[in-house]
Amino acid sequence: MTGYDADVVVVGFGGAGAAAALSAAEHGVEVLVVDRDTRGGNTALSGGSLRLRPDVERAARYLSTLSLDRKAAAVHRSMLDGCRDLGGWLVRLGAEIEEMNDAFVTNTLPRVLASPYPTIAGSEALGPRFRVRGRDGQSGGDAVWELLRDAVLRHPRITVRTPAVAVELVRAGQGRVDGVRLREADGVHGVRARHGVVLACGGFEYDRRLQQNYLGFSLPAFGWPGGNDGSGVRLAQGVGAALWHMTSIASVLGYQLPGLEAAVRHSMPDLGYVYVDQECARFVDETGVDFHAIPMDLLRMNPRTFRRDRMPSFLVFDEATRAAGPIADTYLTPYRDEFRWSRDNRAEIERGWIAAADTPRELASTLGLDPDALAATVERYNAGAAAGADPLGRAAADMRPLRGPFYGVALWPCLINTQGGPRRDATCRILDPGGEPIPGLYGAGELGSMWTQLYPGAGNLTEAIVTGRTAGAAAAAALAPPAGPAPATGTVTPAVTDALAAFVADLRAGDLPETALRAARRCVLDQLGCAVFGSTLPWSALVRDYVRDEGSAPRALVWGSGLRASATLAALANATAGHAFEIDDLHAGACFHPGR
Amino acid sequence: MTGYDADVVVVGFGGAGAAAALSAAEHGVEVLVVDRDTRGGNTALSGGSLRLRPDVERAARYLSTLSLDRKAAAVHRSMLDGCRDLGGWLVRLGAEIEEMNDAFVTNTLPRVLASPYPTIAGSEALGPRFRVRGRDGQSGGDAVWELLRDAVLRHPRITVRTPAVAVELVRAGQGRVDGVRLREADGVHGVRARHGVVLACGGFEYDRRLQQNYLGFSLPAFGWPGGNDGSGVRLAQGVGAALWHMTSIASVLGYQLPGLEAAVRHSMPDLGYVYVDQECARFVDETGVDFHAIPMDLLRMNPRTFRRDRMPSFLVFDEATRAAGPIADTYLTPYRDEFRWSRDNRAEIERGWIAAADTPRELASTLGLDPDALAATVERYNAGAAAGADPLGRAAADMRPLRGPFYGVALWPCLINTQGGPRRDATCRILDPGGEPIPGLYGAGELGSMWTQLYPGAGNLTEAIVTGRTAGAAAAAALAPPAGPAPATGTVTPAVTDALAAFVADLRAGDLPETALRAARRCVLDQLGCAVFGSTLPWSALVRDYVRDEGSAPRALVWGSGLRASATLAALANATAGHAFEIDDLHAGACFHPGR
Ligand SMILES: Cc1cc2nc3c(=O)[nH]c(=O)nc-3n(C[C@H](O)[C@H](O)[C@H](O)COP(=O)(O)OP(=O)(O)OC[C@H]3O[C@@H](n4cnc5c(N)ncnc54)[C@H](O)[C@@H]3O)c2cc1C
Ligand SMILES: Cc1cc2nc3c(=O)[nH]c(=O)nc-3n(C[C@H](O)[C@H](O)[C@H](O)COP(=O)(O)OP(=O)(O)OC[C@H]3O[C@@H](n4cnc5c(N)ncnc54)[C@H](O)[C@@H]3O)c2cc1C
């Protein structure tokens, strides 16, 4: 790999990007991975659960029911096959893998059901959830991330450049993507990707305008602020990619807290709580609906008020639940190192993040809600809890009367991720609107994910690693086009050209330091050597014949012959000879002989 | 205008395209309009209502409430200003304009309310609805369409080409859009657009894949089958445009009937009807909610079943209503000339389009619904009607017990249109994801409309004509780049080049007919004349000096001087002189001197 260039350039160093880099490198090519940082994207913040043992046939049917995109069957199939191969690969990288037991499911509130969509048959075909065991006993996405990251960093054929933000894809004449422009600390640079580019730079969790235009609304997100900003959508659009699954998101409930850009995950330590909307009405069985499905109730546009008037809704909980444990999960958040939520929620009450009051009426006032309405709702709920009956279907075992003091906080559907992006095929080639692959361009991960509207948990991380591996292998195997000039690293305006020309015209040998002169002499000699050999090749002779036939003023020597010609014609013949066997050196960025 | 070329090429000959063409032509440039047909798109099928007298200040506030896109204020403002200018322009084209009276509102079922979103203040600021009076007394979109179409067809600076389908935009070296590739009966042709291209080719009503990827579901549509197929989204994507408002649609209720690809509009002659879902439950105040708002209730994904299980729902109506008039409006449909719905719905019952039965139970069986559930629903509704009370809030005056026989038909939310597409600014320039205009590219109409999620009636047609005018004027005013080669009209493969070269090499003057020889002589003379004058210009002298300095074999004359040089160098100097003042002629398609 010379300077910036690589065979495969991977944009994004999360799970998908890391897997793509490792897979491409396993196939023997040189890889460059770029990211704006090294925090590991959503991958490092994720729950870390993976599907490794799907029943492929049945799971394929299940995915086709979940998916409203009837044409994605080949993509589903390729992903399921990839799942079965994933465990072994992770183990070869050094992973210790554990199956998640049922306690995880039953102990978590809001609940993680066996299937988030219990009315849709077949979810068990995805197989159990697995995790990679982490160093400190924690087995979240950070464990997977550290495993992949370390494998990437120690691989001799992979280079990681950060901070480097991909700002544009570069295409060769034939439309093939063969480079990326990167914004780095010292400016924008072009990078050549001889085989291709893998886009693995995540969704648009942190671009509200893209959300507005593609989801129809915008939401708070859980990921690293400024991380996944929809770059991938824009990069792909710049080279004419088709987009797909643009309305698809994964969402769970969270809090938006003053001074924190990312949302903080809602999680309950005990059963003494309800959700109410802005009219103080309950609207969902809080404990019977899967945590990935509840946000659907909050997202809906009210067809009478024409507002999304359950954004936000409110969590109301009681004293016993306050004392039972934190109502937030801050381990897998960008703020992990800054603070932990207090065990009894007292610190957050003092900060004003949680409203506290002796009665539901007072709590309502503090939250800006109707006191009568909240009092009535709590009263009705308590009566139902005592009787073991709930109009919304909450299980009797999950209900008990709420007893003061009462606590409340605004509750938002928040983005785990967005899943839209460039459309890809089963081998992760990115397609144009006509369904044709864009040569040299590959996609992986949550950017242009296969999921449509119904996202089953543990589907994204698995997909990210599986599609990363597929995309990396496909890019590695892609035929590299003949060498050519690297993409320009900046726009040359006339004024700059003028200044450069004046500088060169004024330059005298005496102005140069001795080392530069020595290097220049070596370059000239090297080029001359290349040209002397090159002049013996048939194509050089063709050009020489043409120059001879022009019969121009005999001012300059045509190397490797006795011929003299005008300076321009001699330069044409000599340059042809110099490059004729492609043994001359090139400076990647500038495309001239650099002397190294 | 030479051959295919034009100053401005307009893609799409509906309301927006016609207005763009007229406006560009009014600004003095030559315009080419292309469409796959001449039926006038959605414009010709629309209700034809227009807003001509908004209260700009108040309406701007209203639009900003409706719009979830806070950054579109300048676009709203430009549209509202355009509305106030529109009436006069239509009158100058020969229109007779009438204000729509209240009878329209009160007599239509489902109801057209004064505001479709009564909880949002300010709708009256849009002003009353207006229509163009048609020749036959009908004042639908067809009247507007015929007015615009005829003005286009009689304009001396506008050419209309149909059938011609735009398949790709062509960009010049600098990224400027300067042409379109068209699929016509005899193949694909390139068309040069010297100033720019206006995309006015409608939404993606007839592309289910785009709907799936951008709406999350797909719906039947009312427009011409095969007409608005999302071409505009693909064309714009091909040159790197940003998209916006992709989830936005306008929808009203309709029927999907066997053998008819387009949906047929639901419309009721009397009050004896209800809507029920697939569980036979009513879910909406059928007569109190605006016809543009009801579909929202049918579109929602059920957060418990994870299905859009109100698609379809069912219209159930009674004997008196059957006899009162047709339950469909077929005037403004693609089938207007094929059939009219019978006045008593008998023909449609006989065709099996409407199910008929003596009792609700039997009707339910025929429709595949639960007999008990439908019987219970009708019974409850009838009791409520008798008592003048409805849990869904239907007005007592609008209710009366349903009396058998009973009739039923599946009811779908259907697409009036989709409103997403390339993002444009207040002057209708299409923008890239960074917010920069793509030079030479303009957008108008429902393709990339300003509406986000809440579409108020009579907003699309007005917007189409207003933005068409803006886009046409902007494209006309755009600076034409220097003349250059036209886009290639086909791929030249080596084999074709070889055959052509052999043909030319073998050609003898005697092979040519006398007329061709005469034309050729005239061409040579013409080129020589241009060159003799051109050789006196300073830039020709620069090239001549260079040629002289090369000192090549004196074989060919450099025109306008005594200099002789090698053939290639003389050709360089002479060609420069020939084109130096741009008075030489060009064949648009082939880019050589054609002799005309
Ligand atoms: C709180 C949370 C919990 C989750 N839990 C689970 C779970 O249990 N199971 C599951 O399957 N999924 C889960 N997910 C989702 C899953 O983690 C992600 O969808 C998946 O990890 C995405 O991987 P990725 O590599 O595509 O993107 P990421 O891991 O987000 O990596 C994208 C990278 O691209 C970089 N980038 C972006 N733009 C540019 C640019 N222009 N130039 C350079 N770099 C750029 C970003 O900085 C980032 O590092 C969770 C997500 C979150 C946030
Ligand atoms: C039944 C119905 C009722 C409506 N009622 C109203 C109303 O009362 N008020 C209101 O404001 N709006 C109404 N609308 C909406 C409104 O009519 C449209 O949004 C508006 O007319 C769109 O105008 P347009 O010029 O953008 O698109 P269209 O009028 O649809 O024209 C687009 C044209 O582009 C052509 N085209 C598409 N692709 C290509 C291609 N690749 N190459 C060449 N040509 C192409 C199509 O053939 C078509 O002729 C209604 C629509 C319908 C269907």
Side-chain angles (χ1 to χ4, degrees):
Chain A
M1 198 161 57
T2 320
Y4 270 142
D5 294 1
D7 295 317
V8 172
V9 174
V10 178
V11 178
F13 188 28
L22 288 168
S23 163
E26 283 165 9
H27 285 77
V29 303
E30 301 284 336
V31 183
L32 176 69
V33 188
V34 301
D35 201 310
R36 57 178 90 237
D37 58 58
T38 52
R39 301 176 300 189
N42 278 345
T43 302
L45 297 177
S46 78
S49 38
L50 297 167
R51 308 281 189 183
L52 304 176
R53 277 212 306 265
D55 172 342
V56 174
E57 291 308 320
R58 285 172 53 237
R61 281 198 298 279
Y62 176 61
L63 294 189
S64 116
T65 314
L66 282 196
S67 172
L68 299 159
D69 185 351
R70 299 272 162 247
K71 297 212 179 139
V75 172
H76 296 164
R77 178 60 68 122
S78 146
M79 148 85 171
L80 291 169
D81 289 340
C83 287
R84 297 194 64 89
D85 201 39
L86 184 55
W89 186 73
L90 291 171
V91 167
R92 285 196 297 283
L93 291 181
E96 218 181 303
I97 290 179
E98 60 188 22
E99 187 174 330
M100 283 162 78
N101 60 28
D102 290 346
F104 170 73
V105 174
T106 41
N107 292 348
T108 307
L109 280 176
R111 288 228 168 73
V112 180
L113 300 191
S115 162
Y117 314 110
T119 54
I120 298 177
S123 72
E124 72 294 344
L126 289 181
R129 284 175 157 87
F130 293 89
R131 283 185 176 177
V132 170
R133 202 190 302 274
R135 290 187 194 127
D136 54 356
Q138 285 278 7
S139 304
D142 47 347
V144 184
W145 165 243
E146 283 164 20
L147 177 81
L148 294 173
R149 180 196 62 196
D150 294 350
V152 164
L153 293 179
R154 69 174 176 254
H155 200 294
R157 277 191 297 279
I158 307 178
T159 307
V160 177
R161 284 192 77 90
T162 59
V165 180
V167 292
E168 195 180 356
L169 293 172
V170 180
R171 303 181 87 163
Q174 295 304 304
R176 182 184 182 84
V177 172
D178 76 340
V180 183
R181 289 167 60 78
L182 296 178
R183 197 174 54 238
E184 299 185 89
D186 60 343
V188 174
H189 304 281
V191 174
R192 177 113 190 279
R194 283 181 288 262
H195 293 242
V197 173
V198 179
L199 291 183
C201 46
F204 47 95
E205 294 92 72
Y206 280 98
D207 186 305
R208 297 213 157 212
R209 173 166 272 277
L210 287 184
Q211 289 176 42
Q212 199 62 68
N213 285 328
Y214 291 111
L215 307 180
F217 48 81
S218 66
L219 297 179
F222 291 110
W224 306 100
N228 292 356
D229 65 351
S231 292
V233 173
R234 286 186 292 268
L235 291 168
Q237 277 189 314
V239 296
L243 303 178
W244 75 349
H245 306 161
M246 293 305 288
T247 55
S248 184
I249 60 172
S251 167
V252 300
L253 299 181
Y255 315 117
Q256 276 197 291
L257 299 170
L260 301 184
E261 198 180 341
V264 171
R265 179 115 160 221
H266 162 66
S267 159
M268 292 306 292
D270 202 354
L271 287 159
Y273 69 97
V274 292
Y275 305 145
V276 299
D277 65 17
Q278 295 174 10
E279 311 300 320
C280 296
R282 283 177 63 228
F283 53 89
V284 68
D285 167 3
E286 294 87 350
T287 62
V289 176
D290 183 83
F291 75 129
H292 271 301
I294 292 177
M296 218 178 270
D297 289 280
L298 281 80
L299 279 166
R300 79 96 169 69
M301 181 178 275
N302 182 329
R304 295 293 79 80
T305 62
F306 312 105
R307 290 173 49 228
R308 296 189 193 273
D309 54 12
R310 287 187 190 149
M311 280 169 42
S313 293
F314 295 86
L315 164 70
V316 173
F317 60 102
D318 72 358
E319 176 64 12
T321 295
R322 181 206 55 73
I327 62 155
D329 178 354
T330 53
Y331 178 64
L332 294 169
T333 72
Y335 308 113
R336 160 165 53 186
D337 298 330
E338 289 168 41
F339 71 92
R340 288 281 168 98
W341 201 274
S342 66
R343 298 200 59 81
D344 58 3
N345 302 293
R346 283 251 178 257
E348 291 71 25
I349 294 167
E350 249 143 62
R351 285 175 104 142
W353 290 358
I354 301 174
D358 286 336
T359 67
R361 312 189 84 83
E362 281 170 48
L363 184 68
S365 304
T366 319
L367 293 171
L369 301 171
D370 176 359
D372 291 344
L374 188 59
T377 293
V378 170
E379 205 168 300
R380 241 189 336 269
Y381 175 78
N382 282 353
D390 181 51
L392 292 167
R394 184 160 166 173
D398 283 354
M399 290 168 72
R400 59 162 198 242
L402 307 178
R403 294 228 169 69
F406 296 91
Y407 304 91
V409 52
L411 204 57
W412 294 84
C414 301
L415 286 176
I416 284 209
N417 66 6
T418 65
Q419 320 212 23
R423 179 177 161 211
R424 59 189 181 225
D425 69 8
T427 53
C428 293
R429 299 179 300 180
I430 287 180
L431 307 179
D432 72 17
E436 291 299 315
I438 295 175
L441 191 60
Y442 303 83
E446 67 176 42
L447 173 72
S449 157
M450 64 182 225
W451 304 108
T452 57
Q453 300 213 61
L454 294 176
Y455 166 73
N460 269 133
L461 187 58
T462 320
E463 184 194 26
I465 305 178
V466 167
T467 55
R469 290 186 69 204
T470 306
L479 210 65
T489 57
T491 310
V492 179
T493 65
V496 172
T497 315
D498 287 347
L500 204 58
F503 172 77
V504 170
D506 287 337
L507 198 68
R508 297 288 166 271
D511 300 335
L512 295 174
E514 184 48 33
T515 48
L517 279 176
R518 252 205 312 276
R521 270 185 219 111
R522 215 175 62 82
C523 287
V524 171
L525 214 60
D526 181 65
Q527 176 71 4
L528 198 58
C530 294
V532 167
F533 170 66
S535 71
T536 64
L537 297 170
W539 34 96
S540 302
L542 283 175
V543 175
R544 199 163 50 236
D545 289 346
Y546 159 74
V547 168
R548 178 178 294 117
D549 191 54
E550 286 295 277
S552 60
R555 289 185 194 132
L557 185 66
V558 175
W559 300 335
S561 79
L563 180 65
R564 282 176 181 270
S566 72
T568 52
L569 287 168
L572 175 68
N574 292 342
T576 304
H579 193 56
F581 202 58
E582 294 192 49
I583 42 173
D584 54 337
D585 208 347
L586 272 183
H587 180 277
C591 189
F592 59 56
H593 194 304
R596 44 193 293 281
Chain B
M1 196 162 55
T2 319
Y4 269 144
D5 292 1
D7 296 317
V8 172
V9 174
V10 178
V11 178
F13 187 27
L22 287 168
S23 163
E26 283 165 10
H27 285 76
V29 302
E30 302 284 335
V31 183
L32 177 69
V33 188
V34 301
D35 200 310
R36 55 178 93 237
D37 58 58
T38 52
R39 301 175 300 188
N42 279 345
T43 302
L45 297 177
S46 78
S49 37
L50 297 166
R51 308 281 189 183
L52 305 176
R53 276 212 307 265
D55 172 341
V56 174
E57 291 307 320
R58 283 170 55 238
R61 281 198 298 278
Y62 176 62
L63 295 189
S64 114
T65 314
L66 282 195
S67 172
L68 299 161
D69 184 351
R70 299 270 162 249
K71 297 212 179 140
V75 172
H76 296 165
R77 179 57 70 120
S78 147
M79 148 86 171
L80 291 169
D81 289 340
C83 287
R84 296 196 63 90
D85 202 37
L86 184 56
W89 187 72
L90 291 171
V91 167
R92 285 197 296 282
L93 292 181
E96 219 181 302
I97 290 179
E98 61 189 22
E99 187 174 330
M100 284 163 78
N101 60 27
D102 289 348
F104 170 74
V105 173
T106 42
N107 292 347
T108 306
L109 281 175
R111 288 227 168 73
V112 180
L113 299 191
S115 162
Y117 313 110
T119 53
I120 297 177
S123 72
E124 73 295 342
L126 289 181
R129 284 174 156 87
F130 293 88
R131 283 187 175 174
V132 169
R133 202 191 300 275
R135 290 187 195 127
D136 55 357
Q138 285 279 8
S139 305
D142 46 348
V144 183
W145 165 241
E146 283 163 20
L147 177 82
L148 295 173
R149 180 196 61 197
D150 294 350
V152 164
L153 294 179
R154 70 175 176 254
H155 200 294
R157 276 190 298 277
I158 307 179
T159 306
V160 177
R161 286 192 76 92
T162 59
V165 181
V167 293
E168 196 181 355
L169 293 173
V170 180
R171 303 180 86 165
Q174 294 307 301
R176 182 183 183 85
V177 172
D178 75 342
V180 182
R181 288 169 59 79
L182 296 178
R183 195 173 57 236
E184 298 186 86
D186 61 343
V188 174
H189 304 282
V191 175
R192 177 114 190 277
R194 283 181 287 262
H195 293 243
V197 173
V198 178
L199 292 183
C201 46
F204 47 95
E205 294 92 72
Y206 280 99
D207 187 303
R208 296 213 159 214
R209 173 166 272 277
L210 286 184
Q211 288 176 43
Q212 199 62 69
N213 285 329
Y214 290 111
L215 307 180
F217 47 80
S218 67
L219 297 178
F222 291 111
W224 307 100
N228 292 355
D229 65 351
S231 293
V233 173
R234 287 186 291 269
L235 290 168
Q237 276 189 315
V239 296
L243 304 178
W244 73 352
H245 306 162
M246 292 306 288
T247 56
S248 184
I249 60 172
S251 167
V252 300
L253 299 180
Y255 315 118
Q256 277 197 290
L257 299 170
L260 301 184
E261 198 180 341
V264 171
R265 177 112 159 223
H266 162 65
S267 157
M268 292 307 291
D270 202 355
L271 288 159
Y273 70 98
V274 292
Y275 306 145
V276 300
D277 65 18
Q278 295 173 12
E279 312 300 321
C280 296
R282 285 177 63 228
F283 53 88
V284 68
D285 167 2
E286 294 88 350
T287 62
V289 176
D290 183 81
F291 75 129
H292 271 300
I294 292 177
M296 217 177 272
D297 289 280
L298 281 80
L299 279 166
R300 79 97 171 66
M301 180 177 277
N302 182 329
R304 296 293 79 79
T305 64
F306 312 106
R307 291 173 49 229
R308 294 187 196 274
D309 54 10
R310 287 187 190 149
M311 280 170 42
S313 293
F314 296 88
L315 165 69
V316 172
F317 60 103
D318 73 358
E319 175 64 12
T321 295
R322 180 206 56 72
I327 62 156
D329 177 353
T330 54
Y331 178 65
L332 293 170
T333 71
Y335 309 115
R336 158 165 53 185
D337 298 330
E338 288 168 42
F339 70 92
R340 287 283 167 97
W341 201 275
S342 65
R343 297 199 60 81
D344 59 3
N345 301 293
R346 285 250 179 257
E348 291 70 26
I349 293 168
E350 249 142 62
R351 288 176 101 141
W353 290 359
I354 301 175
D358 286 337
T359 66
R361 310 190 85 82
E362 282 170 46
L363 185 68
S365 304
T366 319
L367 294 171
L369 300 172
D370 176 358
D372 291 344
L374 188 60
T377 293
V378 170
E379 205 169 298
R380 241 189 336 268
Y381 175 77
N382 283 353
D390 181 52
L392 292 167
R394 185 159 165 173
D398 283 353
M399 290 169 72
R400 58 161 199 244
L402 307 179
R403 296 227 167 69
F406 296 90
Y407 304 91
V409 52
L411 205 56
W412 294 84
C414 301
L415 286 175
I416 284 208
N417 66 6
T418 65
Q419 320 212 24
R423 178 176 162 211
R424 60 189 181 227
D425 69 8
T427 55
C428 293
R429 298 179 301 182
I430 287 179
L431 307 179
D432 71 16
E436 291 300 315
I438 295 175
L441 191 61
Y442 304 84
E446 68 178 42
L447 172 72
S449 157
M450 64 182 226
W451 303 109
T452 57
Q453 301 213 60
L454 295 176
Y455 166 72
N460 270 132
L461 188 59
T462 319
E463 184 193 27
I465 305 178
V466 167
T467 54
R469 291 186 68 204
T470 305
L479 209 64
T489 57
T491 310
V492 179
T493 64
V496 173
T497 313
D498 286 350
L500 203 60
F503 172 75
V504 170
D506 287 338
L507 198 67
R508 298 287 166 269
D511 300 336
L512 293 174
E514 184 49 31
T515 47
L517 279 176
R518 252 207 311 277
R521 270 185 220 111
R522 214 175 62 82
C523 286
V524 171
L525 214 58
D526 181 66
Q527 177 71 5
L528 199 57
C530 292
V532 167
F533 171 67
S535 71
T536 66
L537 297 171
W539 34 95
S540 303
L542 283 176
V543 175
R544 199 160 53 234
D545 288 347
Y546 160 73
V547 168
R548 177 177 295 118
D549 192 54
E550 286 296 276
S552 60
R555 289 183 195 134
L557 184 65
V558 175
W559 300 336
S561 79
L563 181 64
R564 282 177 181 271
S566 72
T568 51
L569 287 168
L572 175 69
N574 292 341
T576 304
H579 193 56
F581 201 57
E582 292 191 49
I583 43 174
D584 55 334
D585 208 348
L586 271 182
H587 180 277
C591 191
F592 58 56
H593 194 304
R596 45 189 294 280

